[in-house]
Every structure is written in C-alpha cells, then in structure tokens.
Amino acid sequence: MKQLWQVREVSTLMILVLEVAFFTWYLWPSDGGHPFLNVGNALLILKYSSIYGIAAIGAAIVIITGGIDLSSGAVIGLTSVVTGYFFVQADWSLTASALMGLMVGLSAGLASSWLIVGMRLPPFIATLGVMGIWRGAGYIITEARFYDLSAKLPRNWTVVGVSIDWVPPLVMVALAGTFQVLMKRFQWGRAIFAVGGNETAALFSGLRVGLVKTTAYVTAGLLAAISGVVLAVVQGQGKADLANGYELDIIASAVVGGTSLTGGRGSVAGAVLGALIFGVLRNALPQIPGATFYDRVIVGLAVIVIVVMDQIMVRRGEA
Amino acid sequence: MKQLWQVREVSTLMILVLEVAFFTWYLWPSDGGHPFLNVGNALLILKYSSIYGIAAIGAAIVIITGGIDLSSGAVIGLTSVVTGYFFVQADWSLTASALMGLMVGLSAGLASSWLIVGMRLPPFIATLGVMGIWRGAGYIITEARFYDLSAKLPRNWTVVGVSIDWVPPLVMVALAGTFQVLMKRFQWGRAIFAVGGNETAALFSGLRVGLVKTTAYVTAGLLAAISGVVLAVVQGQGKADLANGYELDIIASAVVGGTSLTGGRGSVAGAVLGALIFGVLRNALPQIPGATFYDRVIVGLAVIVIVVMDQIMVRRGEA
Amino acid sequence: MITAGLEFCDVAKAFGAVQALRGVSFTIAAGDAHACVGENGAGKSTLLKILAGIIRPDRGALSWAGERIHFSTPREALEHGIGMVYQEMLAFPNLSVTANIFAGREITNRWGVLDERAMRARTQELLMQLHVPVTPDTSMQHVSTACAQLVQVARALAFDCRVLVLDEPTTSLTDAEVDHLFGVVTRLRQQGVTVLFVSHRLPEVYRLCDRITVLRDGQFVDTFERATTPSDDIVRAMVGREPPRRVPHSSSVPQFPSSPVPQFPSSPALQVRGLSRRPAFEDVSFQVAPGEIVGMFGLVGSGRTEILETLFGLATPDAGQVAVDGQAIYVRSTRDAARAGLALVPENRQRQGLFFNLSLRHNLVLPLAAKQGVGLIRDAGEETAARAQVEALTIKAPHLKVTPDALSGGNQQKIVAGKWLATTPKVLLLDEPTKGVDVGAKFEIHNLIRHQADAGMACLMVSSDLPEVLALADRILVMREGHLRGELPGAGATEETVMRLATHDVDLDRPAGGNA
Amino acid sequence: GGGTSDAPPAARKLRFALIPKSLDIPVFDYARIGGERAAAALGVEVIYRGPDRADELRQKEVLESFITQKVDGIAISVLNASFLTSTIDRAVDAGIPVVTWDSDAPASKRLAFYGVDDYRSGIVMGEETAKMLNGKGTVAFITSLGANNLARRLEGAREALAKHPGITILETYDIKEDSVRTGEIIATGTNRYPNLGAWISVGGWPVFSANALAPVPPTTKFVSFDTVPSAITLLRAGKVQVLLGQKYFGWGEEPIKLLHGIINGRKPTNPIIDSGVDVVTAATVDAYEAAWKAMVAGGK
Ligand SMILES: Nc1ncnc2c1ncn2[C@@H]1O[C@H](COP(=O)(O)OP(=O)(O)OP(=O)(O)O)[C@@H](O)[C@H]1O
Ligand SMILES: Nc1ncnc2c1ncn2[C@@H]1O[C@H](COP(=O)(O)OP(=O)(O)OP(=O)(O)O)[C@@H](O)[C@H]1O
Ligand SMILES: [Mg+2]
Ligand SMILES: [Mg+2]
C-alpha cells in the first residue's frame, strides 16, 4: 500500500493547511476576534471557491485526458445568463431555468468535443474559439445588460434547513467525492487516465478514445454550467461578463492540485483543494493593509512556490 | 522540391488573402472610396497587428520547443510601463528608455526559463505565475496610473524619412524574416524543432536541451518586450494593464499560423500571418454596422473555421 | 492441405506513393503457428495492423473459417478474439503494470466498480508465467524496455483469444526469456489458439512455427513448410537473391577475418572502475581498447542498459570512476558525455532515438551537426551525407524528406544506428543496435561498426541477440543481476559458455549480490 | 438596522475600507489619495482594496471579506448595484456603516452616496454634444460592454440625443476595456466615417495619451469622460472639446469623512450628496486646471 505521503492529494492539502496557518499567524489580531480564522470567513472562502472549484473538477478531467478547456469561464457566464433569462424574463421556475442553464454546459461540451474529436482541432485552439462564441452569445442575449434574479429569489433562503450560502460548498464537496470515486474506481476514470497517458496505446487497446474524450469535455461543460448556476442563484445575477478570464484560474487550480498538463496524471480532489488555496489567497490578501498593488505579484509567486513545493514533496515521496 | 501548396505558410497566406477579399467584397461602398481597401487602412491594420505579430514570433518559437508562454501580454504591459517610466519620469532618451524596456523582456525570459529548465515547472504554470508577477510589477510601479509618453514624443515623427507609423510593421517584417532564416537555416532553429519533437531524443543526441529552451524563452521575452516598446510608442502610453489578455491572442496567432501546440512544428512567418488574420478581423468587424454584440462570436468562429480550413489544405497538400 | 483458418485475400494498402502491400493472399490454418517474415519494410506490420483493425486496406478481404471478417476499429478485432502485440512499444507510462495490462478491458464487479484484487492476481500470474521481474503495482514508467515488451505480451495473453498476433515480440529478449514466452505460447496453441508470429530471428521462427510465409516488397512470395525448408531458402526468398555470404547468426564463430587479432594499445579508450548505481548494478569494472568491440550480454534486467545510460550521463552513479583515453571524466549531462567523446545508440528508438517531426535527412545528420556545433545548415552537404547513410544502411524510404513515422520499424532502427555511428566518437555505446533489423541490414550495420572500430573507435555493445554478440565481439562481458559475472574472449566463446555465466546454474566465483 | 454603533475603544484606530470598482482604472487612484489624506487628518486607517479588474463577483468577494473582518466602515464604488444591494444590507444590518461613492446602490440600506449619477453624467454628455452639433449630425459611441456604470452613462447620453431628431447614432463600439483597442477603433471609425459629427466616449480610455486621438479630423468633435492631466492637454490642443470630470479626490475624502461622522453619531441629513460633475471646455479649462493643481497639492 502507498504511504500517506505519496497520496497525491495529501501534499496539496498540506500546502492548504500551511497557507491557512500562515495567514492565521500573520493576521493574528491584537484584540478581539480573529478576522481570518472564524466560521463566517471560512464559509465565505468556501462559497466563492466553489465557483472555481466545481469547474476545476471538470478542468482536471479534461487535462488528464491530455486536453485543455479554455471555455469554462465563458460557459459559467453564459449559463448565468441563460438561467437568468428563463427565470426572470420567461418567468420559469428556478429548477427549470437551472436545467436550461445546464443545457448550455451540455452543448458547450458537445461543441468542444466535436471540434476536438471530430474535426481534430487542438483542444487549446478549439476551446479558445468556443470561448469567444459563448461569451459573445451572452452579450447577444443580454444586449450587454443583465438579469437580476435576486428580486425573485427568497430572502434568507434555506434549503432543507441550511442557509443557501452552504449549498455551493456542499455541492462542490459532493461533486468532488463523486468524481474522485468515478476517476479512481470505475472503468470510465481508468479510460480517462489511459487516453491521457498514451492516446495511441489507448486506441490500440480498443478504447473508444473519441468517446472517452467526448465524455470528458461534456463533463467539464456540465460542471462549468453547475458553477454558472451556483453563481446565478447564490449571487442572484445573470450577466454575460461574469467569470471573465476565470478559465486560467480554474486551470491553475487543477494544476496546483497536482494535475499534470501533459496529461495522464491528476486528481479531482486535488483540483478542489487547489481552488481553495487560491480562495484563501483572495480572501486573506485584502486583509493585509497596504498590500493593494502587491496582490497579483503575491498570487503569481504563490502559484510558482506551491507548484515547486509540491514537486519537491512528490519527489521526496517517491525516493 | 516541395510543391508550393505544401509550404506551410502558403495555406495561411491563402486564408489571409481570402479574408481580405471577403471584406473587400462585403464592405464594397455604394459610393466614394473603399472604407477597407485603402492604403491608410492597410497601414492601420499593419501597425496594430505588429504589436501581436512581433510577440507571436516568440510565442511560435516557444511553442515549437513544446512549451507555452502565457506571460507575453504581461511582459508587453510591463515593458510599456518601464519604457514610460524612464522616458517620462526619469527623462531619459527614447532609445535608452526602450533599452530598459527590453531589459524587462530579457529578465522575463530568464525567469521563465529558470523556472522551466531549472525548477522543472510545466511551462503553462510557470509562465502563468510569472504573468501575475510582471503584471503586478506594472501596477506597483505605476500605482495603477500611467505614463503619458505622447507629450514628449515628436509630432509627425519620421524615422529616416518614413512616418513612424510604418516602423512597427517594418520591424515586424524584419524580425519575421530574420527568425524565419534562423529557424530554417541555422542549427539553432533545428535544435528548437528537435527539442520540441522529442526532448529525450534531443538529449541523447547531445543537444543542450536546457540551453535551447532558455534561448527560446529569452527570445520570446525579448520579442514581447519589443512589442511592448512598439506599443508604448504607438499608444504613447505606459500603463500596467495594457495588452491585458493578449497572451491568448498571441498564442492563437501562432497556432492559426500553423504552429502545433504539441511542439515540433510551426513557423514564425506563419505566426505573423496569423496575427495579420486577426488584425484584419479587428479592423473590419467594427466597420460592419451593428456588429458590436456579434464580434466576439465572429472572432471565435473565425479561429475555428481558419484552423479547420488550414488542416484541410494541409491534408490535401500531403495526399 | 491447409484447413482454412485465417485467410488473407488480395490485401493491398498504399501510404501515399508507397505501396506497402500489393495484393497479398495466403491462408493460415486454424490452430497453426504461422510465421510471417520478410525484409524491413516488406509490409508485415501493415498486414498485421489490417488484421487488428487499425489500418483499413485499400482492397482485399480477410476471412476466418471461410467467413468474411472486417474490423474497422481495434475494439472490434479484440472482441473477435484477435490478440495483438504491436511492434511499437505501446504502454501507459502513467499507469501501473496491472492497469496497463487491463487497459480498456478492466475487470469490474457487478456495480461496475473496478475489481483491483482480481486484476492484480491475474497480473501476478501472467508475470510469473513469463518470468517478468516486476510487481503488478510498479508504475510502467519505471519498467525497463525489455520488461515493458513482456508486459505487452502479457496484455495480449490476459484475455482469451482465438488468434494471437505477435509482431517482433522478442527484439529486446534473450533466449532465456524467449523460452518462457514460447512456453506460454505453446500452451496456448495446445488450447487451439492460432498464432501469427513476426520476427527477424530465423532460429526463433523455426522453433515456434510450422509454416513460414515470406513477404517481399509488399508481395506474397511463398509459404514454406518448416520441416522441409532450410533457412537459406527462406532468406533467399526474403531478399530475392542469394543471401549475404555470411549471415552473422548462422554461425557462432567470429565472422570478420579482415580484422586481425587485435593488438590493443596499452591505454584503453574507456576505463570503468567500481561503477555502482544501486539497485541496477554494482561494482562494475572493465575497459575497452581503441579498435575493440566489447559485447555485453546478460538477461533482461541484468543492468546493462543502466550501465550504458550511466556512462552517458543520463543517471548519476553512486560510486566509481570512468576514464576516457586515460583521462578521468565526470559526466553530469549527456552534453558532457558527448564532449568526452562518448556516443550512445539508445535502446528505445521511438522514445529516445527519433524525431518524428523532422525529416529523415535531418534525423540522420542531427547528432553529427550537434557535435560539430555548426551554425549555418548547408543543404547540399547534408543531403550528400544523409544519402550516403541511406545507401550504406539500405534504408528503405521513398525520399529523404519523409518523417520516420512513415518507415517500417526496422528502417527506423537503421536510422537510429546510423545517426550515431556517423558521429565517429572515441567510444561508441550501443544498446541493442540491430533490434528488429533484417538479416541483410544487420550485416551492413555490423560491417559499419567493425569498420569504425578498425579506424580506432572503441565499442561497447549491449545486445540480447547472443549470436550477434558472438559474431561481432572481440570480448564478451556477462552481466547477471547487476554484477559483472565474467569475461570471455570472443573467439572461444560459445552460446553455452555465455549462457551459463548469464544464468543461475553455474558455480559463482563471487557471492551473489542481488536477491532472486 | 441602525447606522450607528457604540463608540469604539479609544485605543484602537478605526479601520475603514475604501473599495473602488477596479484597481486598474487610473482615476480611482486619486480617490485612494483623497481617502488616505482624509484618514490621516481624522486619525483613522483606510484600506484601499478592490478587484484587480472590473469583475463584480470579485468585488462582492472583497466586500464580503471586509464584512467578515468587521471593519468599522465601508466606502464602495458599486460596480453593479443590484448585485451588491443585499450584501450592503447585510453589512449595515451587522452594524457596519456603508456609504457609496461614484456609483450608487440606491435600493440598498447604504447610509449615503457621494457622487453624481452616471445616468446624469450621460445626459450632460449628450446635451453638450447636441449643443456642439447644433442638433444635427452623426455620433459614434465608445464604451466597454459589461460595465454597469458605462451602460448607465450610455443610456443617459442616448436619451439626451434622442431629443434631437437631427442627430443619428451610427455606431456603439465595444473596446473591451482595452485602451490599445480604443486607438485602433478610433482610427478605424474615422476611416469608415470621415464626416462623423462627434465621438462620445463614456470612459476615459481615449484621453490618456495623444495618440489615440491623432487620426480624428478637426471637423469631428470629441466628448470624453475623465479630466486627468493628459486630457486637459488634449483639450487645450483642440483634439477634445468637452471633458466630464468627477470629484476624483473627493471620492476618497468625502466617504471617509462621512463614515467617521456616522461612527461619531453624525448621520448626514440628506443621504444623496451631489458632488456635481465638472464639465471642462475651452472656456473653463484654466479654472479647472488651477483647481486641479490645488487638489493635487492639497494634502502634501
Ligand atoms: N504510416 C505510414 N505512412 C507511410 N508509409 C508507411 C506507414 N507505415 C508503413 N509505411 C511503409 O509501408 C511499408 C511497409 O511497412 P511495414 O511497417 O509493414 O514493414 P515491416 O515489414 O513491418 O518492416 P519491419 O520489419 O522493418 O518492421 C514500408 O515501406 C513503410 O515505409
Ligand atoms: N527508470 C527505472 N526506474 C527504476 N528501476 C529501473 C528503471 N529502469 C530500469 N530499472 C530496473 O533496473 C534493472 C536493470 O534494468 P536495465 O534496463 O538496465 O537492464 P538490462 O540488462 O539493460 O536489461 P534490458 O535492457 O534487457 O531490460 C531492472 O531490474 C529494471 O527493472
Ligand atoms: Mg514491422
Ligand atoms: Mg536494456
């Protein structure tokens, strides 16, 4: 059996713990309650991270197949628009509107995979093109305005007794768990890893490589759409430019979580942990007075330092 | 000898010609001069495309080694800031300020390659981190303000008799020519292709793989910095958020120009042609009345259609 | 009369201008062990890939027991019981050995959950049968080339198949491993499995197969009965003319009378003292003189590749000294090694040897150009140099602009051997330089090596092909479990004496270091 | 929820958050300077933080993060009012006073707003343009899709122009928050419509350097937002006819003073504090420049 140390996700978790420990220490208050280490703040981090985290699960899956999905941010934005459109404009129920939102993800996944599998475009360029199309579609639908869902949504809304704020993190954890099991314990996951490890070998082994890739992009599209629905519902907004540029943060989350961009290696649980690592940074950095213009530098450095640390840990684990 | 058809750049050139022909037809005026097909407009397209095109040469080189450079946009932005700082704040000459700007590119290239070659980070994540650092550095220097170079730059400025507007395109063409020769007729270029084709085999062949990659990233950094200097002069401004997100356009230019993201294949001349293809789109789409909401969709579709067409032509050429 | 089993009927396939198969028809009896032989590029692999559903033929048909079969995907072929071991090493480096073997056909329980236990058990069993010294949980990236080849075989054996197709499965194996493999294949035959076997090692073909089909230039030549056909006839049918005068493995005495009994200068070109890199090898000392060809033999996993790679700077040794021309060298990179005058012809041509994005010409001249550090590329010079190589090695290619993926496996191997030979290093390290190369070309490569050695180059050659080692080496080093077990003069050595040192059944002059 | 809280212990400095729409818009840095000056004068601490680009979700995250940190007051320029209303309410309910500046969230429980309505600024732009064109001619807009304040300005300007049937709006160009693209669009648009009556830019992108405006012929009027020094130079050079400015320093100063007052029990009588908009034309440029210099020198 593997040593705990060698389990890929553990090193990412360690980094998250170190990060939280650091900010807890650094932001230790001279008086009163801790501004960083409190339940409300933890929930805040979880709530915002889940928008990235849910999509990062899909990003990790696509990257493991050896591909990449640059359209996730645009899918999130368009999903919020479509959900908003049906909920506010067409006055449908929330569930029905959310389902229409998920359709966006499904179509996006099918479109990307058709280009990649059917037309044999490189994933980077296919999803880059598709990104422009979805983002543009959002602007066309809204005519650069937005749908305000919050007016129609209940205030202090609870779902089976829990505040709506807890729903996104719970969805994220549930999805991460489900996909972690699917990836590790089911044939589908094994096929994803095989395709990413050696596509020719996968083909020669009788794997339906095209189908496997299609499922990966469709899954990624659906997960991005779930992020979009969460965004629309929890934040009460459907707007074309939402999540603009998030695709890079989402991919970075997956990579920081141990997913290798050359394919064949990675973890969906790691991707969620990666999203949390960035979520903590986004939350804690504004609490440091005077660091205003240093944010980007710190986030950039953090990405590098984390991946370097992670590599060192993994190498030590192997030795 | 190869058929003309099979020369990689020819198919990209064909697409550019088709594109120009299309817009010439579509925008044919009912009266008076043609709004698209005129020297002034061609110069305009060339001038703005050179900002992308110069950097795309570097992007193509890096991609041919099997890497990727996401920091080019940030390097362009920071170069404009540094050039602006020395030109406006420190009141240096333009040449000296531009040289300081190029230092940004050199340092950026060295930093990226140190992370990639020395620390063995995946290029995507290394340059993503580095992108944050350079962008952030621009904000720290300017405190989110900007340097106005235009006040100090001469009006109706000519360089050896040609209007300054012609300089960026000429620089782009000169650089494309130089690097085309270096890539095709020199051992350095051969090494770049070899490393991208099979890094292990390159190692076994006694190539200094690390050095080759370093030169690629440094070249890309320097070329992005040249873009940045051009931008500072064209725009008359040094501002941290300039060229925000251009890295994806630059990479797309290289890919549309026939550079394969899996490494080992591509062309710097193609990358420049790719930048021109996008430049024509950026110029022509706003000339179509009412296209505002549609232009993202059109650009996205164009990327896809061009790469598909290109693949078809290449395949036919091979058959 | 042959009872119709697998029948190829007028199968043709062209790749662009290259006609790989020109209407091949022959029949393999059900339950037969049938060999398919031919020179490099004769079309064997193409034929097999058509059978496996990877390549679609331009025309022609396949039938099984009189019934037309047509596979448009590898999956269909697998479902119809065609088990295939491909010539190209096709592994998933990111997965474990078990996962590699079951890729695409995992065992699951009734909930669809992977049954890791069952798969591991089956893997363990297969690895034992084939005597592969790896565990089921080993990550494939850590498995040596030869073991990886056996894992590929295990993959085909893991499932019941009606036809087992083996495309050069033994190129990295020595006789000992081949024995295990053939044992397993023979057992399958007894269960009624039809075997189609491709190899350039005629003795193996004779051991395993009843009938031998010869292909030449994409055409069917004839099918021979093993019992009534001497191997010379097969070779003649393959090359379409008289076979080369001396076929290296047809005899076990040294073949090159042109090279006089070597008079080696006192200072060796390569001197290795106490080199260790645990656990791959330990305390290895030997030397190679200029003009000498030293063969290094050993079973799979005995550490030979590791020694060569360590010498070439691809790994850092734990201990030991290396000297070239009496000068101690410390190589930290392949560049250091190249500058010290070493060159390595690697074992894995796909991964380590070839640039699939570069033309044949560029592939052939690259190491030489890299060594000379030329700046400007001179087309004419390169063209001449490359053309000379193509002719010397009889590389079968339509022109110099093709990329290596358009060449047959053996021709790819010739590029790999040729490109490093051209650099004329002081010390040439060769790892399985002629694997998958046909008889004639092997002879040419041997000639080239001998020629370079005569010009003063020192050669250290690892080969699993014992007849080749016996034919070419002036001296033979034998490795076992990471230790140097003995040294034999090339002239006196026989297969028996070498094999005895390489395997366990011999009294040890030193206590065994490794564990069994 | 009440807007006041108990006076804090004297030992601790009050901490106010000053949140702009985005860190990468130059004029907001004057707000930071203004805010820091006010803070120094009042002996409080001000944390200037916002999303690094105009991303309303990130702005909300920053806002919520300040709420959980329990800062003593928040001054925010709201990217999207409907998006932040409930969050602002939550802050106020939790006892953190919130004032808005530059861009309001009128439906929220914010205690005050300092600034001009974007819509009203737009109307001013439209009216000034119509005046210059004598009620007839063609107009092209420059905006960036997605930003609400820009959309509001655009709306106002369109409304104002709609009152003049002689004026045709030819195009609304989306420059995608990219000032390089602004120069390209202006050049292309000029090429396309050489006889254009006027450009209206609802953001300051064209006036940050002289280059973007270089192709515009003297016959075409140019109206733009933002009165930064480079814009003033352009106005003096005749490249721009009308500039709209806001109280950039005041954006920072006033809200901090307001928050300090609220904490000390001084609630503003009228929650809407109109800062007024500066309309700078050739006639008023000298006065404006003098006032600007005074403002810059102000705190130093
Ligand atoms: N993908 C391809 N594209 C173009 N030509 C090909 C391709 N694959 C094989 N060929 C050509 O077809 C011919 C037959 O190749 P094949 O691989 O079947 O030979 P082979 O008999 O297996 O040889 P070897 O013993 O060297 O493996 C060769 O001339 C080869 O160059
Ligand atoms: N990358 C690796 N990581 C860990 N162990 C390895 C690695 N490569 C090889 N080994 C192990 O080292 C031992 C020696 O392998 P090596 O490949 O050097 O043997 P060899 O004698 O060349 O045999 P062959 O080349 O026929 O496989 C084997 O037990 C092998 O499993
Ligand atoms: Mg073959
Ligand atoms: Mg070996």
Side-chain angles (χ1 to χ4, degrees), chain D residues 281-299:
Chain D
T281 61
T284 58
V285 63
D286 291 331
Y288 185 82
E289 206 170 22
W292 175 270
K293 280 189 179 134
M295 265 188 296
V296 172

PDB file of all heavy atoms in Angstrom, chain D residues 281-299:
ATOM      1  N   THR D 281     -14.542  72.674 -20.658  1.00  0.00           N
ATOM      2  CA  THR D 281     -14.469  73.052 -22.069  1.00  0.00           C
ATOM      3  C   THR D 281     -13.367  74.089 -22.202  1.00  0.00           C
ATOM      4  O   THR D 281     -12.726  74.453 -21.203  1.00  0.00           O
ATOM      5  CB  THR D 281     -15.794  73.682 -22.542  1.00  0.00           C
ATOM      6  OG1 THR D 281     -16.011  74.856 -21.773  1.00  0.00           O
ATOM      7  CG2 THR D 281     -16.957  72.724 -22.377  1.00  0.00           C
ATOM      8  N   ALA D 282     -13.137  74.540 -23.414  1.00  0.00           N
ATOM      9  CA  ALA D 282     -12.100  75.541 -23.623  1.00  0.00           C
ATOM     10  C   ALA D 282     -12.325  76.740 -22.711  1.00  0.00           C
ATOM     11  O   ALA D 282     -11.381  77.365 -22.226  1.00  0.00           O
ATOM     12  CB  ALA D 282     -12.078  75.970 -25.087  1.00  0.00           C
ATOM     13  N   ALA D 283     -13.585  77.041 -22.435  1.00  0.00           N
ATOM     14  CA  ALA D 283     -13.900  78.210 -21.630  1.00  0.00           C
ATOM     15  C   ALA D 283     -13.517  78.022 -20.166  1.00  0.00           C
ATOM     16  O   ALA D 283     -13.103  78.954 -19.492  1.00  0.00           O
ATOM     17  CB  ALA D 283     -15.395  78.527 -21.758  1.00  0.00           C
ATOM     18  N   THR D 284     -13.658  76.778 -19.692  1.00  0.00           N
ATOM     19  CA  THR D 284     -13.469  76.561 -18.260  1.00  0.00           C
ATOM     20  C   THR D 284     -12.144  75.902 -17.917  1.00  0.00           C
ATOM     21  O   THR D 284     -11.861  75.648 -16.753  1.00  0.00           O
ATOM     22  CB  THR D 284     -14.594  75.677 -17.711  1.00  0.00           C
ATOM     23  OG1 THR D 284     -14.581  74.448 -18.436  1.00  0.00           O
ATOM     24  CG2 THR D 284     -15.948  76.339 -17.843  1.00  0.00           C
ATOM     25  N   VAL D 285     -11.339  75.633 -18.919  1.00  0.00           N
ATOM     26  CA  VAL D 285     -10.173  74.782 -18.674  1.00  0.00           C
ATOM     27  C   VAL D 285      -9.164  75.432 -17.734  1.00  0.00           C
ATOM     28  O   VAL D 285      -8.586  74.750 -16.877  1.00  0.00           O
ATOM     29  CB  VAL D 285      -9.518  74.348 -20.014  1.00  0.00           C
ATOM     30  CG1 VAL D 285      -8.991  75.528 -20.799  1.00  0.00           C
ATOM     31  CG2 VAL D 285      -8.437  73.319 -19.782  1.00  0.00           C
ATOM     32  N   ASP D 286      -8.983  76.743 -17.849  1.00  0.00           N
ATOM     33  CA  ASP D 286      -7.994  77.385 -16.989  1.00  0.00           C
ATOM     34  C   ASP D 286      -8.388  77.286 -15.521  1.00  0.00           C
ATOM     35  O   ASP D 286      -7.578  76.922 -14.673  1.00  0.00           O
ATOM     36  CB  ASP D 286      -7.828  78.854 -17.392  1.00  0.00           C
ATOM     37  CG  ASP D 286      -7.149  78.980 -18.743  1.00  0.00           C
ATOM     38  OD1 ASP D 286      -6.349  78.060 -19.068  1.00  0.00           O
ATOM     39  OD2 ASP D 286      -7.425  79.945 -19.471  1.00  0.00           O
ATOM     40  N   ALA D 287      -9.641  77.558 -15.290  1.00  0.00           N
ATOM     41  CA  ALA D 287     -10.132  77.491 -13.916  1.00  0.00           C
ATOM     42  C   ALA D 287     -10.014  76.070 -13.379  1.00  0.00           C
ATOM     43  O   ALA D 287      -9.587  75.841 -12.241  1.00  0.00           O
ATOM     44  CB  ALA D 287     -11.590  77.939 -13.864  1.00  0.00           C
ATOM     45  N   TYR D 288     -10.374  75.117 -14.238  1.00  0.00           N
ATOM     46  CA  TYR D 288     -10.338  73.731 -13.777  1.00  0.00           C
ATOM     47  C   TYR D 288      -8.914  73.317 -13.441  1.00  0.00           C
ATOM     48  O   TYR D 288      -8.662  72.670 -12.431  1.00  0.00           O
ATOM     49  CB  TYR D 288     -10.927  72.788 -14.830  1.00  0.00           C
ATOM     50  CG  TYR D 288     -10.998  71.367 -14.318  1.00  0.00           C
ATOM     51  CD1 TYR D 288     -12.053  70.982 -13.510  1.00  0.00           C
ATOM     52  CD2 TYR D 288      -9.993  70.457 -14.594  1.00  0.00           C
ATOM     53  CE1 TYR D 288     -12.119  69.698 -12.997  1.00  0.00           C
ATOM     54  CE2 TYR D 288     -10.034  69.167 -14.086  1.00  0.00           C
ATOM     55  CZ  TYR D 288     -11.112  68.798 -13.293  1.00  0.00           C
ATOM     56  OH  TYR D 288     -11.156  67.545 -12.779  1.00  0.00           O
ATOM     57  N   GLU D 289      -7.991  73.719 -14.308  1.00  0.00           N
ATOM     58  CA  GLU D 289      -6.613  73.300 -14.097  1.00  0.00           C
ATOM     59  C   GLU D 289      -6.068  73.877 -12.799  1.00  0.00           C
ATOM     60  O   GLU D 289      -5.354  73.193 -12.049  1.00  0.00           O
ATOM     61  CB  GLU D 289      -5.745  73.716 -15.276  1.00  0.00           C
ATOM     62  CG  GLU D 289      -4.538  72.812 -15.410  1.00  0.00           C
ATOM     63  CD  GLU D 289      -3.790  73.058 -16.709  1.00  0.00           C
ATOM     64  OE1 GLU D 289      -3.923  74.149 -17.287  1.00  0.00           O
ATOM     65  OE2 GLU D 289      -3.077  72.149 -17.147  1.00  0.00           O
ATOM     66  N   ALA D 290      -6.406  75.099 -12.538  1.00  0.00           N
ATOM     67  CA  ALA D 290      -5.956  75.720 -11.298  1.00  0.00           C
ATOM     68  C   ALA D 290      -6.510  74.946 -10.105  1.00  0.00           C
ATOM     69  O   ALA D 290      -5.784  74.616  -9.156  1.00  0.00           O
ATOM     70  CB  ALA D 290      -6.417  77.175 -11.255  1.00  0.00           C
ATOM     71  N   ALA D 291      -7.804  74.604 -10.214  1.00  0.00           N
ATOM     72  CA  ALA D 291      -8.437  73.873  -9.120  1.00  0.00           C
ATOM     73  C   ALA D 291      -7.787  72.493  -8.951  1.00  0.00           C
ATOM     74  O   ALA D 291      -7.557  72.023  -7.841  1.00  0.00           O
ATOM     75  CB  ALA D 291      -9.931  73.720  -9.394  1.00  0.00           C
ATOM     76  N   TRP D 292      -7.485  71.861 -10.075  1.00  0.00           N
ATOM     77  CA  TRP D 292      -6.866  70.533 -10.035  1.00  0.00           C
ATOM     78  C   TRP D 292      -5.521  70.593  -9.329  1.00  0.00           C
ATOM     79  O   TRP D 292      -5.212  69.771  -8.466  1.00  0.00           O
ATOM     80  CB  TRP D 292      -6.702  70.026 -11.475  1.00  0.00           C
ATOM     81  CG  TRP D 292      -5.968  68.717 -11.569  1.00  0.00           C
ATOM     82  CD1 TRP D 292      -4.619  68.561 -11.707  1.00  0.00           C
ATOM     83  CD2 TRP D 292      -6.529  67.414 -11.502  1.00  0.00           C
ATOM     84  NE1 TRP D 292      -4.312  67.237 -11.737  1.00  0.00           N
ATOM     85  CE2 TRP D 292      -5.471  66.499 -11.615  1.00  0.00           C
ATOM     86  CE3 TRP D 292      -7.840  66.929 -11.366  1.00  0.00           C
ATOM     87  CZ2 TRP D 292      -5.665  65.125 -11.602  1.00  0.00           C
ATOM     88  CZ3 TRP D 292      -8.034  65.557 -11.340  1.00  0.00           C
ATOM     89  CH2 TRP D 292      -6.959  64.670 -11.463  1.00  0.00           C
ATOM     90  N   LYS D 293      -4.728  71.601  -9.704  1.00  0.00           N
ATOM     91  CA  LYS D 293      -3.400  71.730  -9.099  1.00  0.00           C
ATOM     92  C   LYS D 293      -3.527  71.906  -7.593  1.00  0.00           C
ATOM     93  O   LYS D 293      -2.754  71.328  -6.813  1.00  0.00           O
ATOM     94  CB  LYS D 293      -2.650  72.909  -9.724  1.00  0.00           C
ATOM     95  CG  LYS D 293      -2.041  72.525 -11.066  1.00  0.00           C
ATOM     96  CD  LYS D 293      -1.111  73.599 -11.610  1.00  0.00           C
ATOM     97  CE  LYS D 293      -0.527  73.134 -12.934  1.00  0.00           C
ATOM     98  NZ  LYS D 293      -0.599  74.213 -13.956  1.00  0.00           N
ATOM     99  N   ALA D 294      -4.517  72.677  -7.215  1.00  0.00           N
ATOM    100  CA  ALA D 294      -4.733  72.884  -5.786  1.00  0.00           C
ATOM    101  C   ALA D 294      -5.078  71.566  -5.101  1.00  0.00           C
ATOM    102  O   ALA D 294      -4.585  71.250  -4.020  1.00  0.00           O
ATOM    103  CB  ALA D 294      -5.869  73.892  -5.580  1.00  0.00           C
ATOM    104  N   MET D 295      -5.904  70.783  -5.810  1.00  0.00           N
ATOM    105  CA  MET D 295      -6.303  69.489  -5.233  1.00  0.00           C
ATOM    106  C   MET D 295      -5.117  68.549  -5.088  1.00  0.00           C
ATOM    107  O   MET D 295      -4.950  67.896  -4.077  1.00  0.00           O
ATOM    108  CB  MET D 295      -7.347  68.830  -6.133  1.00  0.00           C
ATOM    109  CG  MET D 295      -8.762  69.105  -5.702  1.00  0.00           C
ATOM    110  SD  MET D 295      -9.916  68.118  -6.648  1.00  0.00           S
ATOM    111  CE  MET D 295      -9.695  68.724  -8.281  1.00  0.00           C
ATOM    112  N   VAL D 296      -4.286  68.520  -6.128  1.00  0.00           N
ATOM    113  CA  VAL D 296      -3.134  67.630  -6.084  1.00  0.00           C
ATOM    114  C   VAL D 296      -2.212  68.060  -4.958  1.00  0.00           C
ATOM    115  O   VAL D 296      -1.702  67.236  -4.200  1.00  0.00           O
ATOM    116  CB  VAL D 296      -2.384  67.627  -7.433  1.00  0.00           C
ATOM    117  CG1 VAL D 296      -1.094  66.858  -7.329  1.00  0.00           C
ATOM    118  CG2 VAL D 296      -3.272  67.042  -8.516  1.00  0.00           C
ATOM    119  N   ALA D 297      -2.005  69.346  -4.873  1.00  0.00           N
ATOM    120  CA  ALA D 297      -1.113  69.852  -3.836  1.00  0.00           C
ATOM    121  C   ALA D 297      -1.748  69.668  -2.466  1.00  0.00           C
ATOM    122  O   ALA D 297      -1.044  69.492  -1.476  1.00  0.00           O
ATOM    123  CB  ALA D 297      -0.810  71.322  -4.091  1.00  0.00           C
ATOM    124  N   GLY D 298      -3.052  69.673  -2.477  1.00  0.00           N
ATOM    125  CA  GLY D 298      -3.866  69.680  -1.263  1.00  0.00           C
ATOM    126  C   GLY D 298      -3.258  69.055  -0.024  1.00  0.00           C
ATOM    127  O   GLY D 298      -3.007  69.720   0.970  1.00  0.00           O
ATOM    128  N   GLY D 299      -3.033  67.802  -0.073  1.00  0.00           N
ATOM    129  CA  GLY D 299      -2.659  67.104   1.158  1.00  0.00           C
ATOM    130  C   GLY D 299      -1.167  67.064   1.427  1.00  0.00           C
ATOM    131  O   GLY D 299      -0.745  66.649   2.485  1.00  0.00           O
TER     132      GLY D 299
END
